[in-house]
């Protein structure tokens, strides 16, 4: 999630120059900040703490999330009590797709457990003693075992195991067979003293996942996201509150609706999440950097540990308009980054790309609006990314734009809280003059800049701004952009995570049709292997089917889709068209994964098809006559929209993936069958 400040020590980043030939045209971008710039800026929080030593850290953090306020977890009505009632509710991924893990007992014997197809009690081999090095190895597909000195200890079993230390201090994890460390710590072995280690088979790849399961406060103590030499209580407390808030939101967002039967053995996450990580959170910058025992016990860590203790249980909340959708039980999504460059980004411009002066149609989260962050640029801080220069060859920009040549680049607006940095490129393509104006994440990703906060190009700043715009202006009552001309998605960069994917063509078809929606708050990622939630399908299906946006009063009234709910009109458009009646009485369940069978019924109704008992004289083996969705499944198969999950099966109860959703919709609305 963040380009953490700890990395700053590793790079000389005051000026970055991409080598160019003497003859080649290039442009030098001057900017500020590092990272996506959404939410709290760590250098700005540090500046606030120094300028006002009496300011509470939770108030420093709350400043960066418009309309938010601190609260105690115990005072919130959470959608799940597992976060506060289980000893080790958080599952943190520290390695994936490895086939060998070395581990050493610290301060006493370890307790091992290896599953064996559920046949009786957990087989427990000899206990590793203090200082002994053991291994957990993949022996064959779906079979693993514990080894000592290259000899199997006990019997082999499933690649589902645990390592705990009730009579020891902890465990150290070391290199696997490919010599990669299974954690983020690089100057010592990974050491964990809280929770337990879980090993879980990867149903997609050939290795296994390594998880550490923890309590929330134990997890926060191990977060390594700011400099240890930042001693001011305010910045440490602000970071602790932001980290705890981020983790709580992700835990509640990843859990399925049903309470897991065995939360100690299964965290209750979706099948696709088990495929990717078996986790609520990663231990790296995909979420937050969790360094384990090293972080709370290393040199100069007292200020951090004290801050975690002082803010125990404190999180940031938002209960303004649309809070039911944008929070989890009131808890916000607390993004943060290293340096904002003097002004934070909205989630739109931090994670998405504005192209040709038109924004991608994405929801503006109400508490992730831009705010001024002058502390980030305070010269007294010596923030190394308060100013940077990056020179980019014109040919490289042209290549990323898909043009033949770039002739000019200039800053046309920003950066302010009302206008992000917008850059205009002029050039030639196919013998014709072309131009485009870009703002947001593409500046950072497409040009390789430290942030999207650009202040000048070749020493040319933006021209004076015109009439200021009120923050939030241009948003409708749902916090969304008003309707506008369709964006030409074929002009946008493709999703970065679909190249070579089975469903790449379907996903790109939806992108070019201007109906696709990215995932995880990023317009540049589609997450094709993630479960497609009922809301995901409602948004894209309503756009693809060109359903009219209904006006109140609605035929149905979903209690979990109030008027303030983002994309409520798409959901009610499906209901008004008779495509859905909800998941239960007066409920739509927008965050519940949609099954493949349910998707078939949605498509049959959207296309006004008649239910069928068979297609081409045959049926899917796992769809018996008269079963739920049977008629719809065979109807869309007869139209060539689906070929099933295998040659003879449809897998109607399996959650639909986002990639499958894209291909089905592309076949239904954009491809000739």
């Amino acid at each position: 999630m963040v380009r953490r400040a700890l990395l700053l020590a590793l790079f000389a980043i005051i000026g970055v120059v991409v080598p160019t030939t003497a003859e080649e045209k290039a442009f030098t971008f001057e900017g500020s900040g590092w990272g996506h710039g959404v939410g709290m800026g760590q250098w700005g929080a540090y500046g606030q703490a120094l300028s006002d030593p009496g300011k509470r850290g939770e108030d420093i953090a709350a400043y960066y999330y418009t309309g938010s306020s601190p609260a105690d977890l115990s005072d919130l009505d959470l959608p799940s009590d597992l976060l506060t009632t289980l000893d080790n509710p958080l599952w943190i991924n520290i390695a994936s797709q490895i086939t060998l893990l070395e581990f050493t007992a610290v301060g006493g014997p370890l307790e091992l457990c290896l599953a064996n197809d559920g046949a009786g009690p957990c087989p427990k081999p000899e206990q590793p003693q203090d200082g002994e090095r053991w291994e957990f190895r993949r022996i064959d597909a779906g079979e693993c075992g514990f080894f000592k000195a290259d000899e199997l200890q006990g019997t082999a079993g499933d690649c589902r195991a645990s390592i705990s230390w009730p009579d020891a201090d902890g465990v150290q994890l070391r290199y696997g067979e490919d010599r990669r460390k299974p954690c983020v710590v690089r100057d010592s072995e990974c050491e964990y003293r809280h929770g337990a280690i879980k090993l879980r088979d990867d149903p997609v790849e050939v290795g296994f996942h390594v998880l550490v399961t923890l309590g929330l406060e134990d997890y926060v103590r191990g977060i390594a996201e700011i400099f240890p030499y930042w001693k001011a209580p305010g910045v440490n407390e602000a970071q602790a509150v932001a980290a705890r808030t981020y983790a709580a939101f992700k835990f509640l967002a990843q859990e399925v609706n049903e309470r897991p039967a065995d939360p100690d053995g299964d965290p209750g996450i979706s099948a696709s999440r088990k495929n990717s990580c078996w986790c609520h959170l990663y231990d790296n910058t995909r979420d937050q950097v969790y360094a384990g025992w090293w972080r709370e016990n290393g040199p100069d860590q007292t200020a951090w540990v004290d801050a975690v203790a002082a803010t125990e249980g404190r999180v940031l909340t938002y209960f303004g308009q649309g809070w039911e959708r944008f929070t989890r039980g009131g808890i916000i999504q607390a993004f943060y980054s290293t340096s904002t460059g003097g002004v934070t980004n909205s989630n739109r411009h931090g994670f998405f790309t504005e192209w040709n002066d038109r924004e991608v149609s994405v929801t503006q989260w109400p508490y992730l609006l831009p705010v001024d962050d002058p502390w980030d640029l305070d010269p007294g801080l010596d923030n190394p990314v308060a100013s940077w220069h990056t020179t980019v060859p014109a040919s490289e920009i042209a290549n990323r734009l898909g043009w033949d040549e770039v002739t000019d680049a200039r800053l046309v607006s920003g950066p302010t809280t009302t206008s992000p940095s917008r850059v205009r490129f002029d050039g030639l393509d196919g013998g014709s003059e072309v131009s485009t104006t870009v703002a947001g994440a593409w500046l950072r990703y497409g040009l390789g800049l430290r942030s999207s906060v650009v202040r000048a190009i070749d020493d040319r700043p933006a021209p004076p701004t015109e009439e200021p715009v009120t923050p939030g202006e241009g948003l409708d009552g749902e916090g969304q952009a008003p309707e506008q001309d369709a964006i030409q998605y074929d002009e946008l960069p493709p999703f970065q995570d679909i190249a070579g994917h089975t469903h790449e063509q379907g996903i790109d078809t939806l992108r070019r049709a201007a109906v696709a929606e990215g995932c995880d708050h990023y317009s540049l990622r589609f997450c094709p292997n993630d479960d497609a939630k009922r809301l995901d399908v409602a948004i894209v299906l309503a756009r693809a089917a060109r359903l009219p946006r209904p006006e109140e009063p609605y035929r149905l009234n979903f209690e979990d889709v109030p008027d303030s709910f983002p994309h409520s009109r798409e959901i009610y458009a499906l209901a008004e068209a008779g495509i859905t009646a909800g998941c239960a009485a007066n409920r739509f369940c927008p965050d519940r994964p949609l099954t493949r069978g349910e998707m078939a019924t949605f498509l049959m109704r959207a296309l006004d098809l008649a239910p069928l008992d068979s297609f081409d004289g045959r049926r899917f083996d796992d769809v018996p006559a008269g079963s739920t969705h049977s008629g719809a499944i065979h109807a869309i198969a007869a139209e060539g929209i689906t070929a099933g999950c295998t040659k003879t099966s449809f897998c109607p109860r399996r959650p639909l993936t986002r990639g499958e959703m894209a291909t089905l919709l592309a076949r239904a609305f954009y491809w000739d069958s």
Side-chain angles (χ1 to χ4, degrees):
M1 180 193 66
V2 284
R3 295 283 188 178
R4 62 191 185 283
L6 289 176
L7 290 175
L8 296 178
L10 303 179
F11 300 101
I13 55 179
I14 299 300
V16 180
V17 178
V18 179
T20 65
T21 63
E23 300 81 12
E24 185 175 9
K25 184 177 181 63
F27 300 96
T28 298
F29 296 82
E30 177 186 342
S32 304
W34 191 9
H36 53 66
V38 181
M40 188 181 76
Q42 292 167 312
W43 276 96
Y46 182 43
Q48 285 202 57
L50 294 181
S51 64
D52 186 359
K55 192 172 185 179
R56 297 186 306 174
E58 60 186 36
D59 293 332
I60 292 175
Y63 168 81
Y64 293 95
Y65 309 97
T66 305
S68 72
S69 59
D72 199 275
L73 275 172
S74 62
D75 295 330
L76 300 176
D77 183 15
L78 301 179
S80 169
D81 65 352
L82 295 180
L83 185 63
T84 54
T85 58
L86 290 182
D87 290 335
N88 301 311
L90 290 173
W91 288 53
I92 314 300
N93 181 284
I94 56 178
S96 285
Q97 300 176 20
I98 66 173
T99 58
L100 183 150
L101 176 72
E102 298 179 18
F103 61 94
T104 305
V106 177
L110 298 177
E111 189 81 14
L112 307 182
C113 177
L114 179 66
N116 191 21
D117 292 324
C122 178
K124 297 181 179 179
E126 173 191 352
Q127 290 181 306
Q129 301 300 305
D130 183 23
E132 288 185 350
R133 175 148 295 171
W134 283 47
E135 296 175 352
F136 183 76
R137 294 182 188 174
R138 177 181 180 273
I139 302 171
D140 203 347
E143 186 177 45
C144 293
F146 287 105
F147 287 78
K148 176 184 177 184
D150 287 329
E151 292 187 7
L152 178 65
Q153 303 297 301
T155 59
D158 298 340
C159 294
R160 295 169 63 90
S162 66
I163 304 171
S164 57
W165 43 94
D167 299 316
D169 294 330
V171 65
Q172 288 183 343
L173 305 183
R174 197 164 175 254
Y175 299 101
E177 78 288 354
D178 59 359
R179 315 316 297 169
R180 291 183 304 171
K181 287 189 175 182
C183 63
V184 296
V185 180
R186 292 291 178 257
D187 58 353
S188 65
E189 294 185 342
C190 317
E191 186 168 332
Y192 302 97
R193 298 209 173 185
H194 304 293
I197 299 296
K198 304 286 188 182
L199 304 152
R200 290 292 183 268
D201 55 311
D202 184 338
V204 175
E205 302 295 342
V206 297
F208 53 83
H209 299 294
V210 184
L211 300 306
V212 58
T213 61
L214 296 162
L216 181 58
E217 297 304 317
D218 290 335
Y219 169 74
V220 177
R221 278 194 295 273
I223 292 294
E225 286 282 2
I226 59 174
F227 284 121
Y229 62 78
W230 284 1
K231 304 298 185 183
V235 67
N236 283 277
E237 291 174 5
Q239 179 63 68
V241 170
R244 184 181 296 107
T245 303
Y246 183 88
F249 181 98
K250 288 298 290 282
F251 175 85
L252 296 170
Q254 297 295 354
E255 276 213 305
V256 296
N257 293 331
E258 301 294 332
R259 183 185 180 97
D262 176 22
D264 184 59
D266 187 327
I269 56 176
S270 66
S272 63
R273 192 71 178 177
K274 290 176 181 176
N275 290 347
S276 60
C277 70
W278 257 91
C279 71
H280 297 110
L281 298 147
Y282 288 90
D283 73 339
N284 52 45
T285 54
R286 293 181 67 170
D287 283 306
Q288 303 184 108
V289 175
Y290 174 75
W293 182 242
W294 169 84
R295 175 56 164 131
E296 60 180 288
N297 194 54
D300 299 321
Q301 306 297 346
T302 302
W304 171 249
V305 174
D306 289 347
V308 176
T311 62
E312 182 176 356
R314 301 294 286 176
V315 293
L316 297 176
T317 63
Y318 172 82
F319 289 101
Q321 186 178 27
W323 72 271
E324 301 95 334
R325 171 60 186 158
F326 295 109
T327 71
R328 293 296 180 269
I331 299 174
I332 70 169
Q333 173 73 297
F335 294 113
Y336 55 91
S337 63
T338 300
S339 174
T340 65
V343 57
T344 71
N345 268 323
S346 67
N347 62 286
R348 278 179 170 166
H349 289 108
F351 299 134
F352 293 83
T353 296
E354 179 183 313
W355 201 266
N356 286 336
D357 295 322
R358 288 174 293 177
E359 292 186 356
V360 177
S361 181
V362 295
T363 302
Q364 172 61 61
W365 286 40
Y367 52 80
L368 295 179
L369 293 168
V371 298
D372 281 318
D373 189 16
W375 305 276
D376 183 87
L377 302 179
D378 184 346
L381 285 187
D382 294 325
N383 177 358
V385 285
S387 178
W388 46 258
H389 296 75
T390 301
T391 300
V392 186
S395 60
E396 183 175 321
I397 301 174
N399 180 61
R400 295 179 180 180
L401 291 171
W403 296 352
D404 296 330
E405 181 183 354
V406 169
T407 56
D408 191 24
R410 61 186 183 275
L411 187 65
V412 296
S413 71
T416 67
T417 57
T418 57
S419 177
S421 299
R422 291 187 173 91
V423 176
R424 177 186 172 93
F425 296 105
D426 297 314
L428 299 172
D429 187 38
S432 300
E433 294 184 353
V434 289
S435 65
T436 189
T437 303
V438 181
W442 195 88
L443 292 175
R444 187 162 61 100
Y445 290 115
L447 298 179
L449 304 182
R450 296 297 177 188
S451 75
S452 60
V453 178
V454 177
R455 298 188 174 276
I457 302 175
D458 292 338
D459 295 325
R460 295 179 296 172
T465 58
E466 298 179 358
E467 285 294 318
V469 180
T470 302
E473 184 175 329
L475 306 181
D476 64 18
E478 299 181 31
Q480 301 181 66
E483 292 191 53
Q484 53 185 319
D485 294 339
I487 299 168
Q488 298 303 309
Y489 274 62
D490 56 350
E491 298 176 5
L492 288 172
F495 292 112
Q496 296 181 338
D497 58 349
I498 66 171
H501 195 274
T502 302
H503 298 287
E504 178 181 4
Q505 185 180 3
I507 296 167
D508 205 52
T509 295
L510 299 189
R511 177 182 70 87
R512 292 177 181 276
V515 301
E517 182 99 346
C519 67
D520 287 350
H521 319 289
Y522 290 88
S523 63
L524 304 182
R525 296 179 62 235
F526 190 79
C527 305
N529 295 324
D530 283 6
D531 288 346
K533 297 179 180 179
R534 291 171 61 86
L535 175 62
D536 297 335
V537 176
I539 294 170
V540 186
L541 178 54
R543 293 173 180 172
R546 299 183 180 275
L547 298 178
R549 302 182 78 180
E551 300 295 336
E552 293 189 81
Y554 302 128
R555 179 173 60 86
L556 297 175
N557 181 29
F558 298 126
E559 295 175 354
D560 53 354
V561 185
D563 293 344
S564 59
F565 191 94
H567 302 295
S568 63
R569 290 185 180 177
E570 284 91 338
I571 292 173
Y572 282 111
L574 261 63
E576 292 294 293
I579 295 172
T580 181
C583 63
N586 299 323
R587 294 183 63 79
F588 181 75
C589 305
D591 291 324
R592 178 182 294 178
L594 193 80
T595 67
R596 288 171 53 85
E598 290 170 332
M599 182 62 175
T601 295
F602 276 20
L603 287 174
M604 180 188 72
R605 293 169 178 168
L607 297 171
D608 197 22
L609 303 176
L612 297 177
D613 292 331
S614 64
F615 66 101
D616 298 335
R618 59 194 178 96
R619 303 179 54 86
F620 289 116
D621 294 342
D622 58 350
V623 185
S627 61
T628 306
H629 308 300
S630 171
I633 291 169
H634 293 112
I636 66 170
E639 293 291 323
I641 295 172
T642 182
C645 61
T646 70
K647 290 183 179 179
T648 59
S649 302
F650 184 77
C651 306
R653 293 186 177 88
R654 197 184 76 190
L656 182 78
T657 69
R658 288 173 55 84
E660 291 170 336
M661 171 190 72
T663 294
L664 290 172
L665 289 171
R667 288 174 179 163
F669 295 99
Y670 302 105
W671 296 346
D672 292 332
S673 60

